[in-house]
Amino acid sequence: GAGVSQSPRYKVAKRGQDVALRCDPISGHVSLFWYQQALGQGPEFLTYFQNEAQLDKSGLPSDRFFAERPEGSVSTLKIQRTQQEDSAVYLCASNEAGSWETQYFGPGTRLLVL
Amino acid sequence: SQQGEEDPQALSIQEGENATMNCSYKTSINNLQWYRQNSGRGLVHLILIRSNEREKHSGRLRVTLDTSKKSSSLLITASRAADTASYFCATDSSNDYKLSFGAGTTVTVRA
């Protein structure tokens, strides 16, 4: 079956631009996670949804970062007024509800802010 | 901040040799997982070990967990060129489902 998909795969933005990154989780997966991975580092947690409810946004680095999942399936991570330090790979993962089990990751969106 | 630390940071081995990498973490965990990441790709789940387990096998992979030392090891036996990748350990806790990753071990398998 289809895995987690993300789009775009690559995004170049000028400093100050707004960007929107999309995640399509595995069908039927209730939990959805966003992670940020800087070059040479492991992923760091940003935010977590269960259905449409954003249950944890403790990892969002600033109020320029906003995530939504209005219908409990597709999610969008929006970054306003991008800064160079936002350059990273943004990974989305999903799994079944309320589960400490495997998270299935998408290929990521590589964001470069110039 | 990252919960785990992998050791070594990088490892270069000959095809057919075994590769061992270690992960240490700081706080109590529910599960520990190992993921692989090929260059420019997403993370692929390899194996999950629960806090009440001590050892687990999957194909050429062997994972151990020592909760008293807050550490885990991943052994890849009879390595292949296709095993060239970065390997990350990730932990969760009983309080939430998010994963905390280490910085990873980069493994290069030479043909």
Side-chain angles (χ1 to χ4, degrees):
Chain A
V4 178
S5 61
Q6 293 185 245
S7 61
R9 291 293 312 279
Y10 302 92
K11 176 71 179 177
V12 178
K14 290 184 180 176
R15 192 159 53 99
Q17 277 186 331
D18 297 349
V19 297
L21 313 179
R22 177 186 168 111
C23 172
D24 284 80
I26 292 172
S27 178
H29 277 188
V30 169
S31 296
L32 185 147
F33 303 81
W34 283 98
Y35 294 86
Q36 180 191 58
Q37 186 176 22
L39 190 64
Q41 298 296 314
E44 295 221 11
F45 170 79
L46 293 177
T47 187
Y48 160 58
F49 289 86
Q50 190 160 322
N51 293 306
E52 67 278 2
Q54 190 175 21
L55 299 187
D56 187 343
K57 53 181 181 179
S58 62
L60 295 176
S62 77
D63 58 8
R64 296 185 295 103
F65 287 71
F66 172 76
E68 60 183 5
R69 195 186 184 199
E71 296 176 0
S73 55
V74 170
S75 177
T76 304
L77 176 67
K78 297 179 179 177
I79 309 173
Q80 297 176 324
R81 304 181 304 281
T82 52
Q83 303 294 315
Q84 285 186 320
E85 62 263 28
D86 300 335
S87 295
V89 176
Y90 291 85
L91 296 164
C92 175
S94 70
N95 69 7
E96 294 173 355
S99 169
W100 282 285
E101 298 293 336
T102 301
Q103 291 184 18
Y104 296 90
F105 282 80
T109 294
R110 186 176 296 273
L111 172 65
L112 177 62
V113 181
L114 302 176
Chain B
S1 63
Q2 310 216 271
Q3 149 90 309
E5 261 186 44
E6 281 93 342
D7 167 56
Q9 288 187 338
L11 184 58
S12 179
I13 55 173
Q14 200 73 31
E15 204 166 24
E17 291 181 339
N18 296 343
T20 300
M21 60 209 87
N22 303 296
C23 166
S24 58
Y25 57 90
K26 297 171 187 167
T27 60
S28 295
I29 64 170
N30 209 44
N31 302 306
L32 185 142
Q33 304 184 45
W34 284 91
Y35 285 83
R36 184 186 73 223
Q37 186 175 40
N38 292 89
S39 180
R41 304 280 186 91
L43 292 153
V44 173
H45 179 258
L46 296 176
I47 198 164
L48 179 152
I49 186 165
R50 303 188 191 285
S51 59
N52 62 354
E53 297 176 314
R54 291 296 165 258
E55 189 170 314
K56 206 158 182 182
H57 297 254
S58 176
R60 294 184 296 114
L61 305 179
R62 173 178 169 254
V63 169
T64 63
L65 179 64
D66 186 336
T67 53
S68 67
K69 295 181 179 177
K70 292 189 170 59
S71 69
S72 173
S73 69
L74 170 67
L75 168 67
I76 306 172
T77 60
S79 63
R80 305 167 181 168
D83 295 328
T84 295
S86 292
Y87 292 81
F88 295 91
C89 67
T91 59
D92 56 39
S93 72
S94 56
N95 295 326
D96 58 53
Y97 307 132
K98 67 188 179 196
L99 294 176
S100 295
F101 287 85
T105 293
T106 300
V107 175
T108 302
V109 181
R110 306 185 306 274

